[in-house]
Amino acid sequence: MAIGKYHPEKIEGKWQEIWKKSGCFEVEADPAKPKYYVLEMFPYPSGKIHMGHVRNYSIGDVVARFMSMRGYNVMHPMGWDAFGLPAENAAIKNNSHPAEWTYANIDEMREQLQRLGYSYDWRREVASCRPEYYKWEQLFFLKFLEKGLVYRKNSPVNWCPGCNTVLANEQVEEGLCWRCDAEVEQKDMEQWFLRITDYADELLADLNKLDKGWPERVLTMQRNWIGKSYGAELTFSVKGSDRKIDVFTTRPDTIYGATFMSVAAEHPMVEELIEGYEKADEVREFVSKVRNMDRIKRGADDLEKEGIFTGAYCVNPVTGREMPIYVANFVLMAYGTGAVMAVPAHDQRDFEFATKYELPVQVVINPPELHEKGDVLDVADMSEAYADPGILVNSGDFDGMENEAAKKAIVEHLDGSGLGRMTVNYRLRDWNVSRQRFWGAPIPVIYCDACGAVPVPEDQLPIKLPEDAQARSDGKSPLPGMDSFVNCDCPQCGGKARRETDTLDTFFESSWYFLRYCDARNDDAPWDKEKIDYWLPVDQYIGGIEHAILHLLYARFFTKALRDTGFINNDEPFEHLLTQGMVLKDGGKMSKSKGNVVDPNAMINHYGADATRLFILFAAPPVKELEWSDQGIEGAYRFLNRLWRLVEDLQDVLQQAKPASFTDPASEAAKSLRRKEHETIKRVTHDIENHFQFNTAIAAVMELVNELYGVKDELRESAPQALSSAIATALTVLSPVAPHICEELWETLGHDTRLAEQAWPAHDESALVLDEVTVVVQVNGKVRGKLNVPNNAPKDDVEKIAMEQENVIKHIEGKTVRKVIVVPNKLVNIVAN
Ligand code: ANZ
Ligand code: ZN
């Protein structure tokens, strides 16, 4: 029976159906088997998968299939990060419910993923917007609340005075409302926070446990985000009053150079400081301007430094000098104490500020090179702050001290009078999880006038998002206006009460989905702990670098918080992390806004899923950027055709010559093919195992196919088993990359097994041994020829043959041979003079 031409569309659906029916990717926890958990970051169901997804999931699929063939019990799940703003916007546009749009998109995207032949255990699929899912995070919220890991506090939100509504960060464009272009303000509202800062130290310390499995770059980003800094809190008194202001500084050694003070616009003392000052209103105006600034811009390095004098002074505790107090736009209330002792000579921001407002600059740290010469840094020569280490000057008793040592000495000195203490500060802030949005998981809290904020009793979960809500055209959440949702009875006193209408940040859902996959259909509990014990940690996590900080940090925090609330036993969720590179087109990021998107569906229609997968895995190593290329996918398709034709051509021979018993090739050509076959196994295995170098693994298979083309006619009659064995190997090791075509050809060859369930082959080291090796011959270190000698020939024999070479004789003529060095299988060097 002829197998005909390669038509991917004829075979891909067929194999997807077979895999599904056989349930070969459906796994259960089985402590008798070694497990492997491969996870790709679950997508937001925007409607269409893009090439970035295809890349992410193809990488994961090769790992999953490879590890499964290696004998592991592999879990490979998929789901949907399904809450979020785009669904709300689509609902406003279509006058429908965000659920409709979301579920339709999920169906469409699931179908697209299925067309790519990924080895998911679809029984474990989760969609985070389903009550069966978010029910459990409402439970976690309550448990965290019980444990004091959740609290409520006043915090600024983006407020649009035009629309009279809260805006998500994504709805603020350059400080303006996306809808009405009004200037966005910051307004304080009561919101819910997760106490992630309680875990700051553990989150930081445990990064050291991940240093083998995570990219260094991501570890660094996490460290910086947590931002632990050692410093001191110093106390300054306000002139003419008994008030005190604490500052946080990492440079107590520079205190003699503190010439003014900067406080945040939100600093609680501002009103007291400006009391009685004739320009108090100007200060108030400045304060409100700064408070309304975009929070992100305010923290940026390139922010134009601005400030205003408050009319008040404080006193430098060591110099007695009066320091004017300013409100400055770059001082953040959320960091340290919200007040800074400004040392313009040694801090760049303070230097810029002092220059602008003509404030005094006092050098107190002398650069070592100047100090050696007996000079002192002159302010007049400074065009920027001197922030490096040095020797203290103009610092009273501390003069001449190295500044590092002076840090401790000065704090100890101040501590004596209660004016200073060593502290640790983190950049990390508690996580605000309140969103004033509709399409998110309701926060399970009830407000009662008599009892205050009361947790929803567990047996009332889930608090479902109403299905009859209409998205509002002004973009506001419909929840606060829905009596049926809002009105309820207080669980404590039974009186009339109101439900919380804020929903949870969508990062909440993505912080634990990898746990739910382990027991996704459990209706009685978030999961059975034994299953988590078996599957966790995720062995290989794969996703985009854009999630290097927040998502990974939140998921790590959740793991620890769920451990401490008794839900799991793990400290860290993800053992190995791979961040795949971006997919580029014409050197730029492939993106809708650039209009350079290549639609995976169109590629599958044209070239098939296998060619699409093959190209994307072949074009670059997974962590590098990948440039989309039409010729590239064309080439992938041609290679698959070539493989197909090879099998087609040899079909009759191969069906009879079963490779299983083949170990003893007769001819040279057969021997060499066998060597190539085992070399391929060795290389592919090594390349996938080490750093997932799929591109070189695929190149190795291509070489094997080339070799097969070269010898097939010669071996067709004489050694069909050699051909059969090599082809079986090519199909087996290529199958994780291009599973459909490999399964089809495997079947064509008469196998009644499935490649998906085949064991990964092991290479036979003896097949790699060469009969002959090439040895370089040198005279006095200069290459004079090359010799083919038997592999591992005795040194004396090799030396003898080398000495007989014409070119060698010529070069040692008239000289005495002093020494002959033989490096087995490599080199003969003859020393003569
Ligand atoms: C005096 C000083 C002198 C400072 C000097 C630096 C250099 P990191 O390293 O990021 O922790 N600072 C303190 N609180 C601040 C706030 N709320 N907003 C803006 N800046 C603040 O930075 C700590 C330093 O940032 C502190 O040390 C303080 O300036 C400033 F030569 O104090 B320093
Ligand atoms: Zn009550």
Side-chain angles (χ1 to χ4, degrees):
M1 182 188 72
I3 67 175
K5 276 184 67 177
Y6 173 45
H7 285 295
E9 71 280 10
K10 283 193 191 147
I11 61 165
E12 293 184 348
K14 166 186 156 185
W15 284 100
Q16 287 153 19
E17 201 52 39
I18 292 175
W19 293 326
K20 188 170 153 192
K21 279 221 182 86
S22 77
C24 60
F25 305 128
E26 297 175 0
V27 292
E28 296 304 336
D30 179 357
K33 286 192 212 150
K35 66 92 187 182
Y36 194 86
Y37 184 176
V38 192
L39 180 68
E40 297 117 43
M41 291 180 182
F42 68 163
Y44 179 75
S46 57
K48 269 197 170 139
I49 59 164
H50 54 69
M51 279 300 170
H53 291 130
V54 177
R55 189 170 195 201
N56 189 170
Y57 308 148
S58 296
I59 293 168
D61 201 47
V62 178
V63 177
R65 287 172 178 271
F66 174 73
M67 291 309 284
S68 165
M69 293 171 84
R70 298 280 275 173
Y72 289 87
N73 192 26
V74 173
M75 175 157 79
H76 188 208
M78 180 43 74
W80 313 98
D81 189 11
F83 275 135
L85 201 57
E88 273 182 70
N89 294 338
I92 294 169
K93 210 167 113 197
N94 309 330
N95 206 6
S96 64
H97 194 285
E100 253 176 67
W101 182 85
T102 304
Y103 291 127
N105 284 351
I106 288 179
D107 288 342
E108 209 173 309
M109 288 174 73
R110 187 191 304 107
E111 201 185 301
Q112 290 181 49
L113 291 187
Q114 284 169 345
R115 284 193 69 194
L116 280 153
Y118 296 136
S119 60
Y120 296 126
D121 181 351
W122 282 106
R123 300 168 313 156
R124 296 174 185 272
E125 177 182 354
V126 301
S128 62
C129 62
R130 292 195 187 277
E132 305 87 274
Y133 182 85
Y134 64 69
K135 170 180 174 178
W136 301 116
E137 71 184 28
Q138 290 177 334
L139 176 69
F140 302 151
F141 184 95
L142 296 175
K143 296 289 189 200
F144 292 169
L145 191 64
E146 230 173 81
K147 224 182 148 58
L149 282 176
V150 169
Y151 66 97
R152 204 159 162 253
K153 81 165 186 205
N154 238 318
S155 178
V157 292
N158 302 306
W159 178 260
C160 172
C163 305
N164 230 345
T165 180
V166 171
L167 298 178
N169 282 338
E170 301 91 312
Q171 295 172 320
V172 183
E173 293 161 358
E174 314 246 312
L176 304 180
C177 170
W178 65 321
R179 192 171 279 281
C180 74
D181 275 348
E183 194 125 354
V184 173
E185 298 171 359
Q186 302 294 309
K187 184 176 150 175
D188 280 341
M189 276 180 56
E190 289 281 314
Q191 301 182 69
W192 293 98
F193 286 81
L194 249 54
R195 227 180 270 283
I196 188 172
T197 52
D198 270 12
Y199 287 82
D201 254 327
E202 196 191 337
L203 286 166
L204 184 66
D206 283 358
L207 288 172
N208 295 336
K209 294 187 191 163
L210 302 173
D211 64 350
K212 294 218 170 50
W214 283 37
E216 196 48 49
R217 165 158 90 126
V218 175
L219 294 173
T220 304
M221 286 162 92
Q222 296 245 322
R223 283 194 187 101
N224 292 342
W225 189 260
I226 297 168
K228 184 175 188 172
S229 63
Y230 296 91
E233 256 174 42
L234 308 179
T235 305
F236 289 67
S237 40
V238 179
K239 187 190 151 200
S241 90
D242 50 10
R243 298 199 181 94
K244 310 237 181 279
I245 300 183
D246 283 343
V247 302
F248 170 71
T249 177
T250 46
R251 296 293 305 274
D253 53 317
T254 63
I255 188 165
Y256 285 82
T259 55
F260 62 100
M261 178 179 282
S262 306
V263 302
E266 294 83 356
H267 198 283
M269 271 245 308
V270 172
E271 262 308 315
E272 294 167 45
L273 294 173
I274 61 176
E275 208 186 307
Y277 179 44
E278 70 270 18
K279 293 184 180 163
D281 280 341
E282 273 174 51
V283 180
R284 287 195 189 95
E285 205 172 299
F286 179 78
V287 164
S288 94
K289 187 181 100 181
V290 173
R291 293 185 73 147
N292 280 334
M293 265 174 76
D294 193 314
R295 267 163 290 165
I296 298 157
K297 273 199 201 147
R298 220 174 124 187
D301 279 341
D302 59 354
L303 173 80
E304 164 80 20
K305 314 282 175 296
E306 268 190 284
I308 192 165
F309 180 45
T310 59
Y313 294 85
C314 63
V315 182
N316 187 317
V318 291
T319 62
R321 177 181 205 152
E322 287 183 3
M323 299 160 52
I325 305 175
Y326 277 71
V327 175
N329 64 348
F330 61 86
V331 180
L332 308 173
M333 193 58 219
Y335 192 70
T337 60
V340 180
M341 68 170 199
V343 185
H346 305 294
D347 179 274
Q348 187 56 28
R349 288 177 304 184
D350 297 343
F351 186 85
E352 288 168 33
F353 198 88
T355 310
K356 182 162 179 175
Y357 297 104
E358 299 181 344
L359 292 158
V361 181
Q362 168 75 58
V363 171
V364 291
I365 307 292
N366 203 23
E369 12 2 311
L370 288 186
H371 207 75
E372 259 165 42
K373 287 190 275 176
D375 286 348
V376 174
L377 182 62
D378 186 349
V379 174
D381 298 335
M382 293 175 77
S383 57
E384 55 179 20
Y386 177 77
D388 288 335
I391 319 298
L392 265 66
V393 290
N394 302 318
S395 297
D397 291 348
F398 300 95
D399 277 357
M401 232 185 210
E402 300 261 353
N403 79 298
E404 274 308 319
K407 285 182 180 174
K408 204 166 155 240
I410 288 181
V411 177
E412 270 168 12
H413 169 72
L414 288 169
D415 204 1
S417 36
L419 295 178
R421 58 238 143 242
M422 290 289 186
T423 55
V424 172
N425 229 295
Y426 295 93
R427 226 192 123 234
L428 184 66
R429 299 269 74 92
D430 278 340
W431 173 14
N432 178 347
V433 294
S434 294
R435 294 293 177 273
Q436 296 71 38
R437 305 305 323 166
F438 171 47
W439 193 230
I443 294 176
V445 171
I446 288 168
Y447 297 102
C448 164
D449 287 339
C451 312
V454 183
V456 170
E458 282 173 27
D459 59 12
Q460 288 178 23
L461 298 182
I463 300 302
K464 283 193 195 171
L465 216 49
E467 278 153 25
D468 54 354
Q470 273 294 311
R472 295 169 49 133
S473 58
D474 61 2
K476 276 194 208 179
S477 166
L479 287 182
M482 289 186 78
D483 291 344
S484 57
F485 179 79
V486 173
N487 295 335
C488 61
D489 297 333
C490 169
Q492 252 165 46
C493 70
K496 292 264 162 283
R498 288 159 294 114
R499 257 182 222 298
E500 170 67 86
T501 54
D502 281 0
T503 53
L504 291 167
D505 177 8
T506 59
F507 274 115
F508 210 94
E509 284 87 55
S510 54
S511 295
W512 64 279
Y513 74 109
F514 51 93
L515 297 167
R516 181 66 179 170
Y517 279 146
C518 299
D519 200 6
R521 299 279 87 83
N522 194 333
D523 285 331
D524 307 320
W527 48 70
D528 168 354
K529 210 166 165 180
E530 275 179 20
K531 294 186 177 166
I532 303 286
D533 284 343
Y534 177 74
W535 287 116
L536 262 260
V538 171
D539 294 277
Q540 183 65 55
Y541 197 22
I542 307 161
I545 189 76
E546 67 276 16
H547 293 300
I549 300 179
L550 290 184
H551 162 59
L552 291 172
L553 196 67
Y554 292 153
R556 295 182 58 224
F557 160 61
F558 250 69
T559 303
K560 296 171 192 301
L562 289 172
R563 175 198 63 197
D564 294 345
T565 40
F567 285 101
I568 62 174
N569 294 317
N570 304 74
D571 297 327
E572 283 290 334
F574 312 125
E575 182 120 316
H576 295 88
L577 171 71
L578 185 152
T579 51
Q580 91 262 7
M582 273 199 305
V583 180
L584 307 180
K585 177 86 192 293
D586 309 320
K589 186 179 175 183
M590 213 184 250
S591 75
K592 233 193 245 163
S593 57
K594 286 211 180 99
N596 61 359
V597 173
V598 178
D599 176 16
N601 253 344
M603 293 302 118
I604 301 171
N605 290 341
H606 198 87
Y607 298 106
D610 282 334
T612 308
R613 296 168 56 125
L614 179 70
F615 164 68
I616 216 145
L617 293 163
F618 183 55
V623 296
K624 293 276 159 58
E625 291 179 333
L626 182 156
E627 174 72 35
W628 180 265
S629 139
D630 295 335
Q631 296 94 306
I633 188 157
E634 194 57 63
Y637 182 64
R638 269 203 310 272
F639 168 70
L640 294 179
N641 269 289
R642 199 166 143 75
L643 178 66
W644 183 277
R645 285 196 311 271
L646 178 70
V647 176
E648 186 188 18
D649 180 22
L650 294 170
Q651 194 186 4
D652 300 336
V653 192
L654 298 180
Q655 276 171 357
Q656 283 144 37
K658 284 278 151 37
S661 60
F662 175 74
T663 50
D664 182 24
S667 65
E668 256 328 293
K671 208 177 232 170
S672 146
L673 179 61
R674 180 169 147 77
R675 184 176 316 116
K676 188 82 194 169
E677 177 189 344
H678 285 267
E679 237 175 59
T680 307
I681 298 173
K682 189 175 179 179
R683 275 175 63 188
V684 174
T685 310
H686 172 272
D687 290 354
I688 297 181
E689 255 176 359
N690 299 281
H691 313 297
F692 304 133
Q693 299 291 332
F694 308 123
N695 54 330
T696 52
I698 294 166
V701 181
M702 288 175 169
E703 277 179 34
L704 176 60
V705 170
N706 281 344
E707 174 113 357
L708 272 159
Y709 265 94
V711 296
K712 72 179 163 65
D713 293 327
E714 186 184 340
L715 298 184
R716 185 189 291 266
E717 298 293 319
S718 63
Q721 283 182 323
L723 292 173
S724 175
S725 177
I727 287 179
T729 290
L731 296 176
T732 310
V733 300
L734 189 65
S735 69
V737 173
H740 311 86
I741 185 174
C742 293
E743 290 276 18
E744 180 71 19
L745 294 176
W746 183 255
E747 186 186 61
T748 306
L749 296 184
H751 295 278
D752 45 20
T753 52
R754 254 174 245 110
L755 275 181
E757 289 163 309
Q758 199 70 11
W760 190 259
H763 75 273
D764 177 352
E765 197 64 40
S766 71
L768 303 182
V769 176
L770 294 167
D771 295 344
E772 265 192 352
V773 291
T774 305
V775 169
V776 173
V777 182
Q778 300 178 334
V779 176
N780 293 332
K782 281 213 171 69
V783 177
R784 298 300 179 194
K786 283 186 180 155
L787 277 185
N788 286 339
V789 296
N791 191 7
N792 289 327
K795 277 190 182 186
D796 289 350
D797 294 1
V798 178
E799 179 180 334
K800 190 160 162 269
I801 305 169
M803 299 298 286
E804 286 162 0
Q805 299 301 301
E806 233 170 86
N807 205 28
V808 170
I809 296 172
K810 199 169 95 193
H811 282 92
I812 58 175
E813 217 167 15
K815 297 179 182 166
T816 316
V817 173
R818 303 285 172 194
K819 199 161 62 175
V820 179
I821 303 155
V822 180
V823 183
N825 284 355
K826 288 226 168 72
L827 178 100
V828 181
N829 186 21
I830 300 152
V831 183
N833 54 22

